[in-house]
Amino acid sequence: MKFRTLLRHLREGCKNIIRNGWMSFASISSIFISLFLLGAFMLLALNVNNFASSVESKVEIRVFLQLDIDKAKMDEVENKIRLIPEVKKVTLVTKEQGLEELRKNLSDEGLLDGYDDASNPLPDSFTVEVFKPQSVSIAAAQIEALNTGDETAPITSVKYGEGKIETLFKITNAVRTIGLVIVLALTVTAMFLISNTIKVTIVARRREIGIMKLVGATNAFIRWPFFIEGALIGMIASILTTVVLLISYAQFVTLTQEGLGLMMLSLVSVQEVGLQISGVLIGLGTLIGIWGSTISIRKYLKV
């Protein structure tokens, strides 16, 4: 295709949007609503996934040692734990640190007033983090096995919330699956609504297409302006949707974390998801606009 011909098609596509103002406005509005709902649920799904990942990342193993364990034995146990493939990080929590943590966690700190470093009943322990939260039970079993064949049995107990952790993983996986299904369903719905909206625009001008065909215009000559028109309508609507959606979301994040004081509710920032949401919505809107125009006009080129 010659560059001059391409410019002509671009010009005609833009003119068609202006010439059919109300139909173009209706198409853009319909696409805006469809993509806005899709984008809103995408943000919801991203935040739910982020929350689930945040909860899973806090899963850890607590390894309690014998009260009278010596430093050499403690170091030996720590080195063995570090060699376990699933283990990411091992942190020593001394009995003094454990007592201080217990004081902070108790609502009535006076309950521990009679205890000092000398009378501290707590053992030393290790906090163990794993690479994948789902492998926490495997790592815990391997840590417990370190006592096997050791007469001193330096490890008294291994705690990781057995039973509750497995339930947590089931819930987070279910939440992710439900979120993905909803987003996919809305994507299909948006594609159907947008393509039908574009189709209505083309149907309203079927006589124009028929006349152009009868006077000798080629299929490509007729198709390209509609092709460009559909792309522009989809792009304009998707860009408008993206701008409104991200501005609204940014204000919602600010309101949630500052205005309502819900700092514990950590939402994904606009900077983290802005590019991803923009790419999906603008790309989807433009492609569906092109696809809707191409499919709809094909019927009326058969004259």
Side-chain angles (χ1 to χ4, degrees), residues 4 13 19 33 55 61 64 83 100 109-110 115 147 150 163 176 222 233 235 244 271 274-275:
R4 182 183 301 175
R19 187 182 300 123
I33 294 171
V55 171
I61 304 170
F64 295 95
L83 292 175
E100 186 61 29
E109 297 183 7
Y115 294 97
N147 274 339
D150 193 330
R176 288 192 178 103
I222 298 172
I233 288 175
M235 185 180 296
V244 173
Q271 290 76 13
L275 187 60

Side-chain angles (χ1 to χ4, degrees), residues 114-125:
Y115 294 97
D116 54 20
D117 293 344
S119 59
N120 188 347
L122 300 178
D124 294 315
S125 63

Side-chain angles (χ1 to χ4, degrees), residues 42-56:
M42 285 181 62
L43 287 171
L44 177 62
L46 287 171
N47 277 287
V48 168
N49 184 67
N50 179 67
F51 177 74
S53 299
S54 176
V55 171
E56 290 177 348

Side-chain angles (χ1 to χ4, degrees), residues 116-150:
D116 54 20
D117 293 344
S119 59
N120 188 347
L122 300 178
D124 294 315
S125 63
F126 292 115
T127 298
V128 181
E129 298 178 21
V130 293
F131 287 102
K132 296 180 179 179
Q134 289 75 12
S135 65
V136 65
S137 59
I138 299 174
Q142 293 184 65
I143 293 172
E144 288 180 334
L146 295 178
N147 274 339
T148 305
D150 193 330

